[in-house]
Each structure stands twice: as structure tokens, then as C-alpha cells.
Amino acid sequence: GAVVSQHPSWVICKSGTSVKIECRSLDFQATTMFWYRQFPKQSLMLMATSNEGSKATYEQGVEKDKFLINHASLTLSTLTVTSAHPEDSSFYICSAGSTGGVRWPQHFGDGTRLSIL
Amino acid sequence: DAKTTQPPSMDCAEGRAANLPCNHSTISGNEYVYWYRQIHSQGPQYIIHGLKNNETNEMASLIITEDRKSSTLILPHATLRDTAVYYCIVISNFGNEKLTFGTGTRLTIIP
């Protein structure tokens, strides 16, 4: 089945550091990838929609200058948390939908647990 | 996209069938019902989806009522590994549409 790989799976860093998270679709092409954030005991909240070759679309309340998204190819999207602070600590998850107009369920990565000290 | 309502939690004995309900009374004609689950500290896993007919795959069965206002996900022989939060999502065009996750149902399989 379709696989979405997310890296790293876990990162701990100091406050003020920028952290990059990669999301790859391994066996299909994804024109659209989504980035979610999940705090403990809460549901997934969509942060932004990443479109290949164009600017990402951010949900209300998500700072685009803090959460930089790049979708340079049909198999890779990156999320960079710039100048991370402890309140940015969370579980970040990406998903990818395939191209071609064929109905295809989105598949999710296994998430990145980010801890900012 | 139509809103869904699910019970917050359910228990099921290991080896028995787990039946998870979902209400989606405002679903429109072109909207599908999708089910995902999220095991602790992992990303959501796709389970099954359907439009109006009942569907079955290797993981589960999906029963959609004739009026399409509700559905039931059935795990025929629940195992401890099925303990997870199950999300019912209604959406019209899946691949490139953003998903809105509700609170889901926390299913606990009891040994």
C-alpha cells in the first residue's frame, strides 16, 4: 500500500533552534500534502496545505513565517519550525494525497515528536 | 463537509466484534464516509471508506444506512492491537481535500 515517510520521528532541541521535518511519499506522487499538529489528548489540527510548486495555504491562526513549508517535488514536502520555543512542542504529522484525479485515500506519516527545551 | 458525531469512548472484549457508530445526518449526495484510526503516538491509519453501499476489506466492514445519515464500522474479531482512537470523516473529494478530524471514539479492547 501507499507509504508516507516522515523524518525525523523524534527531535529534542534548544529554544531558538529551527527544526526541519521532511514528509515523503514513497510509492506515489502527491500534488498535495497536509501538515497537522496534535497536542496531548487532543485531535489533529490542520496547520497548512502544501501544494507542489506553489505557496502553501495556512489555516487561520497559523503563522506562515514561523512554520515554513516547501513542496518542491511531487514526493517531498518540508515543514521548518523557525526559532522554536517550548510552546511549539507537539506531535507534527503530514499526509499526502495522490495525483491523477483517482479517488485515493490520504495516507499519513508516523509523525514527528518535537520537544523544545 | 458534513459534521460527524461519535461516542467518545467504547470498550470491547478481545475476540468479539467491535461496532463503532458514526452519525453524519447532514451528509450530502457526493460525500463519502471515511474511517481512520490512530494508535498511540502514530499517524492516522486509513481503514475503509464508502459512499452508499456496504464495504468490506481485510481490516473492517462499513455499514452505511440507506438514508446515509449514519454508519457503523465493524472490526469483526477485535484484538488488543485494535485499541486506538477511531475517526469517522465525511468528505466529497478525498485525495486532495483537507481532512477535519473530530474527537473520534477511543476504543479499548479488553483482554
Side-chain angles (χ1 to χ4, degrees):
Chain A
V3 177
V4 174
S5 174
Q6 197 171 332
H7 178 80
S9 57
W10 189 38
V11 58
I12 301 174
C13 58
K14 294 181 180 179
S15 183
T17 306
S18 292
V19 179
K20 179 184 283 188
I21 302 170
E22 293 186 347
C23 180
R24 294 181 184 273
S25 57
L26 297 185
D27 55 358
F28 66 98
Q29 293 183 328
T31 52
T32 306
M33 291 185 176
F34 302 88
W35 289 95
Y36 296 82
R37 181 168 52 182
Q38 186 175 33
F39 292 106
K41 300 188 185 301
Q42 296 185 21
S43 189
L44 284 77
M45 294 297 294
L46 180 68
M47 298 175 66
T49 302
S50 168
N51 297 298
E52 187 265 337
S54 63
K55 291 183 179 181
T57 304
Y58 290 82
E59 295 299 301
Q60 190 173 7
V62 178
E63 300 175 57
K64 63 179 182 180
D65 294 330
K66 181 167 185 62
F67 299 99
L68 301 180
I69 291 173
N70 182 275
H71 193 161
S73 77
L74 287 173
T75 59
L76 174 64
S77 175
T78 61
L79 167 68
T80 300
V81 184
T82 62
S83 187
H85 291 285
E87 59 266 28
D88 298 321
S89 298
S90 188
F91 191 48
Y92 292 85
I93 309 168
C94 70
S95 73
S98 75
T99 59
V102 176
R103 185 164 299 278
W104 185 264
Q106 287 181 31
H107 289 273
F108 287 77
D110 274 338
T112 297
R113 189 159 302 281
L114 175 63
S115 297
I116 308 297
L117 304 177
Chain B
D1 298 320
K3 178 179 171 57
T4 61
T5 304
Q6 298 177 252
S9 64
M10 292 181 64
D11 292 340
C12 178
E14 187 179 16
R16 305 296 293 269
N19 297 282
L20 292 91
C22 179
N23 287 323
H24 31 79
S25 58
T26 61
I27 192 170
S28 60
N30 65 342
E31 289 182 318
Y32 285 67
V33 180
Y34 281 83
W35 283 83
Y36 276 83
R37 73 181 181 183
Q38 186 179 23
I39 296 171
H40 183 63
S41 295
Q42 297 182 21
Q45 177 189 22
Y46 166 77
I47 302 173
I48 199 167
H49 73 278
L51 181 62
K52 55 182 179 180
N53 297 321
N54 298 336
E55 302 288 341
T56 296
N57 63 20
E58 64 278 6
M59 290 184 67
S61 294
L62 175 60
I63 308 299
I64 303 174
T65 59
E66 191 169 347
D67 63 7
R68 303 207 325 122
K69 292 185 177 181
S70 66
S71 60
T72 301
L73 177 74
I74 301 172
L75 307 179
H77 304 287
T79 70
L80 298 178
R81 289 177 294 180
D82 293 321
T83 293
V85 179
Y86 286 76
Y87 296 99
C88 167
I89 299 171
V90 171
I91 194 163
S92 59
N93 180 19
F94 195 60
N96 293 334
E97 294 276 328
K98 62 184 181 181
L99 302 182
T100 300
F101 285 82
T103 53
T105 296
R106 182 173 297 278
L107 175 67
T108 302
I109 306 302
I110 310 297

